[in-house]
Amino acid sequence: MRVVIAEDAVLLRAGVERLLADEGIETVAAVDRGDELVGAVTEHRPDLAIVDVRMPPTFTDEGLRAALAAREAVPGLPVLVLSQYVEESYAVELLSGGAGGVGYLLKERVADVADFLDAVRRVARGGTAIDPEVIAQVMARGRKNPLDALTARESEVLGLMAQGLSNSAIAAALVVSHGAVEKHIGNIFAKLGLEASAEEHRRVRAVLTYLGRP
């Protein structure tokens, strides 16, 4: 088996690589940024990608977004998320993709090395390995306010939109590219179910949702 690891914590990355090596599993690439994951899986076509959620540069949801992009670049790529956090919005997208080979484990709840290695093999074979806490949080998501579907960065962007900032001003405030802001806003519209409309501007409707108005 050949794997790619995306994890910014040096010791954890090295520890996982060592565990896998002891089981005869080869790590063909180990990266510390989410944006490097897609290139690594495209180049190596691994049997599995093991991915953290919060990675540089913003430590919000880079890992999960990269995992989704990696599965688009390499259809059917098995992905095992290993994180301290449940990023619900992207977790739903990853887990409901209609394909197998998906796992989501919480680091602090992995109590046994053998169980972890079993999850690695199971996901690589096209199965699933989902922590019950992840399932509970994802299921609860459907009972929450639509704004809860937004990532931390998307909520931040929407808050700045509510302040009346333009896309360029938001990009300057967050020190990100104009294109990144446009992508975040597109995600906000999609997650809030705001389809293009000639009658109402989606930006205004998104801000009204943020402010809790009808």
Side-chain angles (χ1 to χ4, degrees):
M1 186 193 304
R2 301 163 66 253
V3 306
V4 166
I5 300 173
E7 167 62 64
D8 65 293
V10 176
L11 292 179
L12 181 57
R13 187 171 67 244
V16 170
E17 189 171 347
R18 178 61 182 273
L19 280 175
L20 298 177
D22 288 346
E23 295 296 314
I25 301 173
E26 178 186 6
T27 299
V28 294
V31 301
D32 59 4
R33 292 175 61 95
D35 55 13
E36 297 174 346
L37 175 63
V38 177
V41 301
T42 302
E43 177 183 354
H44 296 285
R45 300 279 168 159
D47 301 300
L48 175 71
I50 299 176
V51 186
D52 189 13
V53 170
R54 299 188 177 182
M55 302 181 70
T58 67
F59 294 95
T60 53
D61 53 22
E62 285 83 358
L64 267 180
R65 287 191 285 111
L68 290 167
R71 282 173 73 96
E72 289 184 7
V74 182
L77 171 72
V79 172
L80 173 60
V81 176
L82 183 62
S83 178
Q84 291 176 278
Y85 310 96
V86 180
E87 183 56 63
E88 296 172 18
S89 55
Y90 285 104
V92 169
E93 189 172 351
L94 181 65
L95 299 177
S96 63
V102 178
Y104 201 129
L105 302 179
L106 298 178
K107 292 175 181 177
E108 71 273 15
R109 289 168 57 89
V110 177
D112 188 88
V113 171
D115 289 343
F116 170 69
L117 293 171
D118 177 66
V120 166
R121 295 189 180 94
R122 194 183 327 144
V123 173
R125 291 194 302 265
T128 59
I130 314 297
D131 188 291
E133 180 62 24
V134 175
I135 295 173
Q137 292 195 37
V138 169
M139 290 180 65
R141 175 177 176 267
R143 299 189 293 270
K144 296 180 180 179
N145 187 291
L147 293 173
D148 290 337
L150 304 182
T151 66
R153 177 47 61 92
E154 288 162 1
S155 295
E156 192 173 13
V157 168
L158 183 52
L160 293 175
M161 288 168 59
Q163 294 177 32
L165 273 65
S166 66
N167 288 8
S168 296
I170 293 172
L174 299 180
V175 195
V176 299
S177 69
H178 190 274
V181 171
E182 289 183 339
K183 184 174 181 179
H184 286 311
I185 292 175
N187 289 338
I188 290 168
F189 292 159
K191 292 177 181 180
L192 296 183
L194 301 177
E195 299 179 354
S197 170
E199 292 77 24
E200 294 183 65
H201 196 293
R202 289 189 295 174
R203 194 181 188 96
V204 174
R205 292 163 63 195
V207 168
L208 291 177
T209 300
Y210 177 80
L211 296 175
R213 299 176 183 173

